[in-house]
Amino acid sequence: DTAVSQTPKYLVTQMGNDKSIKCEQNLGHDTMYWYKQDSKKFLKIMFSYNNKELIINETVPNRFSPKSPDKAHLNLHINSLELGDSAVYFCASSQGTSQETQYFGPGTRLLVL
Amino acid sequence: QKEVEQNSGPLSVPEGAIASLNCTYSDRGSQSFFWYRQYSGKSPELIMFIYSNGDKEDGRFTAQLNKASQYVSLLIRDSQPSDSATYLCGKDSSASKIIFGSGTRLSIRP
């Protein structure tokens, strides 16, 4: 059974479009995250939710809007896509919020043309 | 100075030898440290975490932490070709964040 799943796996779109990525975890975890990994493999936290509440909001353009309808789901909506948004976006989850192991989803490869 | 620094590599090690991956960090208040392995095109997976000074061993892997020197390392004994991957060092930060380094690419040559 997949622990952390993301859809879609690949996303190719034009500049200026709006797109969403979905994430679901079946681990019963309370905390979920979005990370961005650029072409140089640098993995950077974007957002984190604990029990549907936003707890981490890094310096990310406000074109990115996360939403957590329940603690098993965390979605990411991106408005007005730009070339620099091209990256792999990983969802992750952990049981709690301190010193916890995080489990990553398979990633969504976004290419903005 | 980056919060977590790693040599990007590639680090090339012969099969059967010990691979040594190093990481330094800037915040003395950091408590927990993580090593994740990431195969090309795949997601990161946890190899080890450590929060006490000294060594922690798990099979062929040993994590070493020296908080005074702000240094954490990962040793892989009896390196196998399947160990070829990028290894990400991470440390905890406020409010459940993990801050990652840019990763070290390890290549095990047969």
Side-chain angles (χ1 to χ4, degrees):
Chain A
D1 284 343
T2 304
V4 183
S5 59
Q6 294 178 230
T7 54
K9 285 189 176 179
Y10 300 94
L11 192 49
V12 181
T13 188
Q14 299 286 330
M15 263 196 328
N17 283 350
D18 302 340
K19 291 292 178 186
S20 291
I21 307 171
K22 296 187 175 184
C23 178
E24 176 180 0
Q25 54 96 2
N26 63 6
L27 298 167
H29 288 168
D30 289 338
T31 308
M32 296 184 73
Y33 310 81
W34 278 114
Y35 285 87
K36 178 181 179 181
Q37 188 170 46
D38 61 23
S39 57
K40 295 182 179 178
K41 297 292 187 184
F42 189 51
L43 188 62
K44 191 167 173 14
I45 183 80
M46 299 174 70
F47 302 103
S48 174
Y49 274 75
N50 177 256
N51 278 320
K52 302 193 298 176
E53 284 200 35
L54 182 67
I55 57 171
I56 295 174
N57 186 354
E58 291 294 284
T59 308
V60 175
N62 57 15
R63 298 182 294 104
F64 291 78
S65 50
K67 202 165 281 188
S68 182
D70 55 62
K71 71 175 192 177
H73 295 85
L74 179 61
N75 303 324
L76 183 65
H77 187 76
I78 316 170
N79 287 325
S80 302
L81 279 155
E82 299 179 357
L83 294 177
D85 298 332
S86 296
V88 182
Y89 292 84
F90 286 103
C91 176
S93 72
S94 65
Q95 181 60 54
T97 60
S98 64
Q99 301 185 5
E100 296 284 346
T101 300
Q102 296 182 14
Y103 297 86
F104 285 79
T108 295
R109 283 144 187 84
L110 171 65
L111 178 61
V112 182
L113 301 174
Chain B
Q1 183 187 5
K2 290 181 183 173
E3 290 192 63
V4 179
E5 300 229 36
Q6 295 181 256
N7 189 321
S8 61
L11 175 65
S12 181
V13 173
E15 186 174 354
I18 296 175
S20 177
L21 302 159
N22 304 315
C23 174
T24 57
Y25 61 94
S26 59
D27 178 8
R28 285 188 176 275
S30 298
Q31 298 293 318
S32 300
F33 301 85
F34 305 85
W35 282 102
Y36 280 78
R37 178 178 62 199
Q38 186 175 23
Y39 292 115
S40 181
K42 301 295 185 183
S43 57
E45 55 176 331
L46 182 72
I47 297 295
M48 299 210 45
F49 69 90
I50 186 168
Y51 48 83
S52 298
N53 269 330
D55 295 359
K56 179 181 178 183
E57 189 174 319
D58 183 1
R60 296 187 296 112
F61 298 94
T62 299
Q64 298 175 317
L65 175 59
N66 184 325
K67 290 188 178 181
S69 300
Q70 294 175 246
Y71 175 94
V72 58
S73 64
L74 180 70
L75 302 178
I76 307 174
R77 286 181 300 283
D78 188 25
S79 296
Q80 303 296 310
S82 60
D83 295 326
S84 297
T86 296
Y87 289 80
L88 301 170
C89 171
K91 71 174 185 74
D92 69 325
S93 183
S94 60
S96 81
K97 284 196 295 188
I98 296 181
I99 305 295
F100 286 98
S102 55
T104 297
R105 196 154 49 95
L106 174 65
S107 175
I108 307 300
R109 56 182 191 271

